[in-house]
Amino acid sequence: MSPKSIQVIGNELGISWEDGSETYLPLEFLRKHCPCAGCGGEPDVLGERETPKLSYTDQSFQMLSWTPVGGYAIQPRWGDGHSTGIYSHSYLKNLAIAFEAS
């Protein structure tokens, strides 16, 4: 499933999907679920994952812009300079489901 449009609305990322549904993800939730190796860690040669200790500032939750990655993802640029996370469309949809369930 692909988004028809994506925009930052206040402190949320609004996504209008091709099926007519809409999701709104708080930017803080989105940033804290960044899928990059620097935020989520990466497995070592034995498959063990060590999660890095992260600290955030108010700027960490400000999305300055985002860039499409192919036809399958977006790459946000955050106010604190972080920009290595690539959020696939399916990951965004799953995050929206997880957020709504919480």
Side-chain angles (χ1 to χ4, degrees), residues 8 13 62-67 74-79 82-83:
V8 176
L13 184 69
Q62 296 173 1
M63 187 183 294
L64 301 179
S65 63
W66 58 269
T67 304
I74 64 169
Q75 185 172 20
R77 186 169 67 88
W78 299 97
H82 184 65
S83 63

Side-chain angles (χ1 to χ4, degrees), residues 42-50:
E42 58 185 321
D44 61 17
V45 295
L46 300 175
E48 296 182 27
R49 180 179 301 264
E50 187 171 327

Side-chain angles (χ1 to χ4, degrees), residues 75-92:
Q75 185 172 20
R77 186 169 67 88
W78 299 97
D80 63 357
H82 184 65
S83 63
T84 56
I86 296 176
Y87 295 71
S88 70
H89 298 156
S90 60
Y91 184 65
L92 289 169

Side-chain angles (χ1 to χ4, degrees), residues 25-40:
L25 287 164
L27 297 178
E28 182 174 347
F29 180 83
L30 195 61
R31 174 61 190 275
K32 287 184 175 179
H33 289 85
C34 179
C36 81
C39 292

Side-chain angles (χ1 to χ4, degrees), residues 45-65:
V45 295
L46 300 175
E48 296 182 27
R49 180 179 301 264
E50 187 171 327
T51 305
K53 291 185 176 143
L54 302 173
S55 61
Y56 300 102
T57 66
D58 290 340
Q59 290 78 25
S60 301
F61 308 122
Q62 296 173 1
M63 187 183 294
L64 301 179
S65 63

